[in-house]
Amino acid sequence: MAEQEDDLSSLPLSDRFAHKVWKVRKQAYEDAAKEFEKTPDESDPAFKPFLLDPGLWKGAVADSNVAAQQEGITSLCAFLQYGGTQACTRTRNQTISPIVEKGLSSTRAVTKTKSLEALLLYIELDKPDPVIEELLPHLSHKQPKIIAATLSALTAMYHSYGCKTVDPKPVLKVLPKVFSHADKNVRAESQNLAVEFYRWLREAMKPMFWGDLKPVQQTDLETLFEKVKAESTPKQERLLRSQQAAKEASSGNGGDDGEGVEAEDEEEVVEVDAFDLAEPVDVLKSMPADLFDSLASTKWKDRKDALDALYVVINVPRIKDGPYDELVRSLAKCMKDANIAVVTIAVNCVDVLAQGLRKGFGKYRSTIMGPMMERLKEKKQSVADAIGQALDSVFISTNLSECLEETLEFLKHKNPQVKLESLRFLIRCLKTTREAPTRPETKLIADVSTKLLTESTEIMRSGGAEILGTLMKIMGERTMNPYLDGLDEIRKTKIKEYFDVAEVKAKDKPKPVAPPPKAAAPPPQKKKVFGQKAVAAAARKAPPTPAPVAEEPVSAPLQPKPTGRSIPSKVAGPPKSGLSAPSGGSKLQKKLAGPGGAAPPTPRRQAATPTTDEDEAPAPTPRMGLGGRGLAGRPLGKPTPASGDAFPPPAAPGMSAAERAELEDLRADKDRLLRTNDDLRSERAKLNSQINELQNQNAQLIEDHTRDVLSIKAKETQLVRARSDAEAAEQLCQKQQREIDRLKRELSRAVRATSPAPANVSDQIYRDSGMNGMDSHQAPSYGGRPPSSNRGRSFAASPSEEKENAISEGEDGRPITKVSSPTYESFDSGGRNSPPNGEGIESWKRAAEVTSQLKARIEQMKAKQGLTRPQ
């Protein structure tokens, strides 16, 4: 038996993988794993049999014996780990399906773990898309446990590699189907996968499948999402081999750069939105056929209905790019519409169109942005907010450089509302842009913002300070310091406060551009010419050839010893070093190359100025050839040291005393001018600050004056209204008085019309009982007549006086009753009187009845005429 086992172990691994005895297969799997671990690289011959026949792994991972299957999947993991990308691409089509059906659903925990590890290795070695494509069909498997195992594997993949590496769109499309599965384990795994998606995508995942879920499922998921919201931003736990190589390369260049790359990747993962996950929709086919005719209608209701229909069509997460020129022009015309409802819906259409097209909308920015910003003059805040949101969407489709010029122009608009909303839009642009502005753009923004600091309204001044603070956050304090020099400390403090709290997404990165100065400084190349220095004989041949003279202006900026940046520095070098200067300056020494130790350090002057003691005529030659180059082109040497030794030629390039004096004067003038310029700049800054303060004071005084004038006008208006009200009240009083008089007259006429004749009443009621001048209180006399005065007084009394006065007075002052005594009655002029009897009593009763009837008739007349009895 032992011999048979030895014979089997001597078989090739490929034969043993297909052996009918499970123990032999199990042993073969273990031996293969050990052999793979010992290989030095991916090209080792041990991998070749399995690369040529990938079907061997299909039998290994789907082995009928669970123990052998466990070792087979373990061996596959070793093969993938050490075999590299080639091992992955050759075998994944053969192994992924058996792993899902046999490995992930196995009852052994080790088998499940190794199966999942194999799938993760397939993703790590190449790319995740082929693995996802192999797994998706298993979500429709007839066995629920296979579906649950596949969902669990997908959750682990997204947890390890993240949604930025593994595309979530294919899985999100089929997720609603598994949510409606009858098996509770499948639904539970689908919830876990949805929660994992939410960790990476947040709210951006919902448009893909949220509407297909039941309300109960939505509620359960929202409960699970609340727990995830409190967690920190997820990070990719495993890297692909390509990502690992990139990370190693970046760490080789510097650890900080690698960390920066990782941080950028994390930010990109957080910013995944519905646009990245959605499929483009062709909305041109769905737009109403009569859209443009309706937008040109004279009825605002037709225009509004057309825009409502358009909004429903284009309100999708992602829009397919196409020719939208005519549509954008029509929407731009709608910005000038007189109806606010039409403007609002048009702005909303621009918003969703820009969000759906993203970068594709950038070519329409110039058409729509100007009319939208012009419409910011609308005082209704809801319209201004809608336009601001649409402008933000337009900005996302473009960049800061494209929008900056037009935005700065609207900051100078005469309408305060347009200026304010444009200011807010610029602040939002600076906070959301991912590209820092260039130096010229920074200067433009800073200049406009500095002018805003002198505005008369506080909100505009604060906006200018916020722009400067946000711009400082992007560009850095060092870059912004020149723009803050002329400001007072209060404004600087305000800008610093906004700088501290500003949150931006862009940082100025022109610092890596600093290396060009290093490359631009090519002194070593000039020194190569120093090595080609010729002898004095070669220097004689140099003057006829103009090539050295042509090279001199080009290389002039690199000649000076101290700085090497300009021609003045080239001239300034020799005076400081005296006679030793030729040993340090390469160009100057070359032109003055001559015998002795001073000749080698002068490579350039050697060609232009031949240095020989016998011949002084060549000295004017360089003067003629270099006369147009200022002090640097003047002949240096021969005129001053006339006596020729070995050292005089090097002394000549130090310039003459007059030239030195001239140079020193020029330097002194330059320093004086620089100081004067600095003083003038500081004075200008102070004057500008004073002007700004005076402008602010003037604006405040104008504002106060305007307020006072308006207050005076308001008081005058109130006074005029009060006078008008008083006149109206007076007229009303007069009218009422006239009405009262009229009613009194009417009452008098009514009373006179309804009253009986006074004489009859007096005859019946008022009689003087006295005779011969005696009143009723005296004893009756016979044969006499009452005094005429009493009778006249009695008959002259009117009925109204009789009612109001019950007793009257006679001539002697004694009271006389208006009704005579019932015991006596006067008779005719016959002079006979009879004592009171029954007729007198009856007469009194008739008088009382007549009076009461008269009063009743008067009251009836008053009631008919609507008059009230005067009090």
Side-chain angles (χ1 to χ4, degrees):
M1 193 67 178
E3 293 178 359
Q4 291 181 359
E5 292 179 359
D6 293 341
D7 294 338
L8 293 175
S9 61
S10 62
L11 293 174
L13 285 175
S14 57
D15 295 340
R16 293 162 60 189
F17 265 49
H19 202 275
K20 61 181 180 180
V21 180
W22 69 270
K23 290 185 178 180
V24 177
R25 297 195 302 271
K26 179 175 179 296
Q27 186 63 39
Y29 302 151
E30 295 175 355
D31 295 344
K34 295 177 182 178
E35 188 173 348
F36 296 148
E37 293 175 359
K38 296 177 182 179
T39 55
D41 52 32
E42 299 174 1
S43 60
D44 193 271
F47 300 106
K48 188 174 183 180
F50 302 97
L51 295 176
L52 295 176
D53 188 8
L56 295 173
W57 292 113
K58 182 176 181 180
V61 298
D63 200 298
S64 57
N65 186 275
V66 293
Q69 180 193 19
Q70 176 179 326
E71 296 300 331
I73 296 176
T74 303
S75 178
L76 175 64
C77 292
F79 174 73
L80 294 173
Q81 184 176 359
Y82 298 104
T85 305
Q86 191 175 10
C88 167
T89 56
R90 290 286 186 89
T91 60
R92 64 188 172 198
N93 294 333
Q94 301 286 336
T95 58
I96 291 180
S97 292
I99 288 175
V100 174
E101 295 177 356
K102 299 291 185 179
L104 293 177
S105 59
S106 175
T107 56
R108 291 197 169 199
V110 177
T111 304
K112 287 184 179 181
T113 304
K114 291 297 181 181
S115 299
L116 180 59
E117 179 64 22
L119 294 176
L120 295 177
L121 285 172
Y122 275 119
I123 294 177
E124 177 182 334
L125 293 171
D126 187 25
K127 52 185 179 180
D129 295 341
V131 179
I132 299 298
E133 292 176 2
E134 292 285 341
L135 291 177
L136 288 180
H138 293 87
L139 294 178
S140 302
H141 202 277
K142 61 181 180 180
Q143 296 185 17
K145 67 176 183 178
I146 302 298
I147 301 176
T150 305
L151 291 171
S152 178
L154 288 171
T155 303
M157 291 176 187
Y158 286 106
H159 184 82
S160 299
Y161 294 103
C163 290
K164 189 66 177 179
T165 303
V166 185
D167 188 10
K169 288 189 287 185
V171 181
L172 283 172
K173 291 180 181 179
V174 299
L175 196 57
K177 182 179 179 181
V178 294
F179 263 100
S180 60
H181 200 278
D183 189 79
K184 63 178 183 179
N185 295 327
V186 174
R187 295 196 300 271
E189 290 297 337
S190 62
Q191 282 188 348
N192 295 337
L193 180 57
V195 171
E196 185 61 35
F197 278 138
Y198 191 81
R199 291 181 64 243
W200 295 92
L201 305 177
R202 299 297 177 180
E203 299 297 326
M205 61 173 281
K206 290 186 177 182
M208 296 291 294
F209 73 101
W210 197 255
D212 299 329
L213 300 181
K214 298 178 181 179
V216 178
Q217 294 172 336
Q218 293 179 358
T219 304
D220 294 341
L221 286 177
E222 288 290 354
T223 304
L224 297 175
F225 292 165
E226 289 295 330
K227 300 178 182 178
V228 178
K229 290 179 181 178
E231 298 179 2
S232 59
T233 304
K235 298 181 181 180
Q236 186 174 343
E237 297 180 357
R238 294 182 63 156
L239 301 177
L240 304 181
R241 289 292 172 89
S242 57
Q243 294 174 340
Q244 294 176 11
K247 184 177 180 180
E248 291 176 359
S250 62
S251 62
N253 297 333
D256 297 340
D257 296 340
E259 294 175 1
V261 172
E262 291 179 6
E264 291 179 1
D265 292 342
E266 291 172 9
E267 290 183 0
E268 291 178 357
V269 170
V270 174
E271 292 181 359
V272 174
D273 57 6
F275 180 84
D276 301 320
L277 302 176
E279 294 293 334
V281 179
D282 188 2
V283 299
L284 290 174
K285 299 179 181 179
S286 304
M287 285 195 300
D290 60 342
L291 173 64
F292 300 109
D293 294 337
S294 300
L295 291 179
S297 175
T298 56
K299 297 180 179 180
W300 72 269
K301 187 67 175 176
D302 295 342
R303 300 195 298 272
K304 180 179 179 298
D305 293 341
L307 290 172
D308 286 333
L310 174 64
Y311 182 82
V312 173
V313 172
I314 64 177
N315 189 18
V316 293
R318 190 168 186 173
I319 299 176
K320 185 179 180 181
D321 198 4
Y324 297 97
D325 305 77
E326 187 176 0
L327 176 61
V328 175
R329 286 195 296 268
S330 299
L331 293 174
K333 290 181 181 178
C334 291
M335 297 301 149
K336 301 178 182 179
D337 201 291
N339 190 278
I340 296 179
V342 175
V343 176
T344 304
I345 301 175
V347 168
N348 294 335
C349 290
V350 174
D351 184 18
V352 296
L353 186 63
Q355 290 180 6
L357 289 174
R358 290 291 172 91
K359 296 301 180 183
F361 191 80
K363 53 190 173 184
Y364 310 118
R365 181 204 62 81
S366 58
T367 305
I368 195 66
M369 187 171 175
M372 289 175 63
M373 298 191 73
E374 188 68 35
R375 191 66 188 196
L376 286 171
K377 63 186 178 182
E378 188 63 47
K379 294 182 179 180
K380 193 171 183 180
Q381 191 60 36
S382 60
V383 180
D385 293 342
I387 296 176
Q389 183 177 349
L391 286 174
D392 293 343
S393 300
V394 173
F395 174 74
I396 292 175
S397 65
T398 57
N399 54 49
L400 181 62
S401 299
E402 294 180 6
C403 301
L404 182 61
E405 182 178 357
E406 195 164 2
T407 306
L408 294 180
E409 286 298 324
F410 276 94
L411 282 176
K412 304 173 185 177
H413 201 277
K414 60 183 180 180
N415 190 302
Q417 184 71 14
V418 175
K419 289 178 64 175
L420 177 60
E421 295 298 332
S422 301
L423 174 66
R424 292 171 176 171
F425 173 61
L426 179 58
I427 294 173
R428 295 195 301 271
C429 290
L430 292 175
K431 290 181 178 181
T432 56
T433 182
R434 292 191 171 276
E435 298 178 2
T438 61
R439 289 295 189 272
E441 292 172 350
T442 302
K443 185 177 186 303
L444 289 175
I445 299 173
D447 293 343
V448 174
S449 304
T450 305
K451 292 180 181 178
L452 291 176
L453 295 176
T454 61
E455 286 285 337
S456 58
T457 57
E458 172 61 24
I459 188 169
M460 295 298 294
R461 295 196 295 271
S462 299
E466 186 172 0
I467 290 177
L468 290 173
T470 307
L471 190 61
M472 184 186 295
K473 194 77 169 184
I474 298 174
M475 306 301 296
E477 297 185 51
R478 181 177 180 183
T479 305
M480 293 299 296
N481 281 337
Y483 305 108
L484 307 181
D485 288 342
L487 302 179
D488 53 37
E489 292 300 326
I490 297 177
R491 291 192 175 99
K492 288 183 179 179
T493 304
K494 191 74 172 177
I495 295 171
K496 185 66 176 177
E497 292 176 358
Y498 283 113
F499 167 76
D500 294 335
V501 300
E503 296 181 2
V504 297
K505 297 181 180 179
K507 289 292 183 181
D508 184 33
K509 297 180 181 177
K511 297 180 181 177
V513 184
K518 298 182 180 178
Q525 296 178 358
K526 303 298 180 182
K527 291 183 180 178
K528 290 182 181 178
V529 183
F530 176 79
Q532 297 175 357
K533 174 188 72 161
V535 264
R540 287 178 179 270
K541 298 179 182 180
T545 61
V549 179
E551 281 183 19
E552 180 62 23
V554 176
S555 59
L558 297 173
Q559 186 220 334
K561 180 177 179 181
T563 59
R565 283 186 288 183
S566 63
I567 291 178
S569 299
K570 170 181 175 181
V571 179
K576 294 183 180 179
S577 56
L579 295 175
S580 62
S583 63
S586 59
K587 294 182 183 177
L588 185 61
Q589 292 169 353
K590 180 171 182 178
K591 285 194 175 183
L592 299 176
T602 59
R604 286 273 179 184
R605 291 284 183 182
Q606 178 182 3
T609 310
T611 56
T612 54
D613 296 337
E614 309 115 69
D615 191 7
E616 293 187 11
T621 303
R623 184 186 299 272
M624 296 298 295
L626 301 174
R629 297 188 296 111
L631 293 176
R634 296 179 183 179
L636 305 174
K638 288 298 179 182
T640 306
S643 61
D645 267 352
F647 291 96
M655 295 189 304
S656 63
E659 291 174 342
R660 286 198 186 96
E662 181 183 0
L663 180 60
E664 293 298 330
D665 293 340
L666 292 174
R667 286 179 175 171
D669 293 340
K670 179 182 178 182
D671 294 339
R672 184 171 60 258
L673 289 175
L674 290 176
R675 288 193 299 271
T676 305
N677 192 17
D678 293 338
D679 295 340
L680 291 175
R681 284 181 179 176
S682 61
E683 185 67 22
R684 179 184 177 185
K686 292 179 181 178
L687 292 176
N688 286 336
S689 178
Q690 294 177 2
I691 290 172
N692 293 336
E693 293 295 335
L694 292 175
Q695 287 177 347
N696 291 337
Q697 294 178 5
N698 188 25
Q700 187 65 34
L701 291 174
I702 292 174
E703 184 178 355
D704 295 342
H705 175 68
T706 304
R707 191 185 304 110
D708 294 340
V709 170
L710 293 176
S711 177
I712 292 172
K713 289 184 177 180
K715 297 296 184 182
E716 290 178 352
T717 304
Q718 293 177 2
L719 182 59
V720 170
R721 290 179 180 176
R723 287 176 178 173
S724 177
D725 294 342
E727 293 175 356
E730 186 176 357
Q731 293 176 0
L732 182 60
C733 290
Q734 294 176 358
K735 183 179 179 181
Q736 295 294 333
Q737 186 63 37
R738 289 194 297 270
E739 183 67 17
I740 291 172
D741 295 341
R742 186 185 66 81
L743 293 175
K744 285 183 178 180
R745 289 193 299 271
E746 290 291 335
L747 179 60
S748 299
R749 284 197 297 269
V751 171
R752 284 195 300 269
T754 57
S755 298
N760 298 333
V761 175
S762 298
D763 291 342
Q764 296 179 7
I765 303 175
Y766 301 97
R767 285 190 179 182
D768 191 4
S769 59
M771 298 177 63
N772 299 323
M774 298 178 63
D775 59 13
S776 59
H777 296 278
Q778 294 174 347
S781 61
Y782 299 94
R785 299 180 63 183
S788 60
S789 61
N790 290 345
R791 292 176 62 88
R793 186 179 184 87
S794 175
F795 283 102
S798 64
S800 60
E801 291 176 354
E802 295 171 1
K803 288 187 258 184
E804 293 178 2
N805 300 318
I807 300 174
S808 61
E809 293 180 356
E811 291 180 356
D812 54 357
R814 291 182 300 171
I816 300 174
T817 57
K818 290 184 180 178
V819 181
S820 59
S821 174
T823 57
Y824 299 99
E825 183 180 0
S826 61
F827 289 89
D828 58 0
S829 58
R832 292 182 305 165
N833 291 330
S834 63
N837 54 16
E839 293 181 3
I841 297 174
E842 292 297 331
S843 176
W844 174 262
K845 291 182 180 180
R846 282 197 304 269
E849 290 176 0
V850 171
T851 303
S852 61
Q853 290 175 2
L854 180 59
K855 289 183 179 180
R857 290 179 64 187
I858 292 173
E859 294 297 330
Q860 288 177 2
M861 293 296 296
K862 290 181 180 179
K864 287 180 182 180
Q865 295 179 4
L867 302 175
T868 57
R869 184 174 182 180
Q871 300 294 329

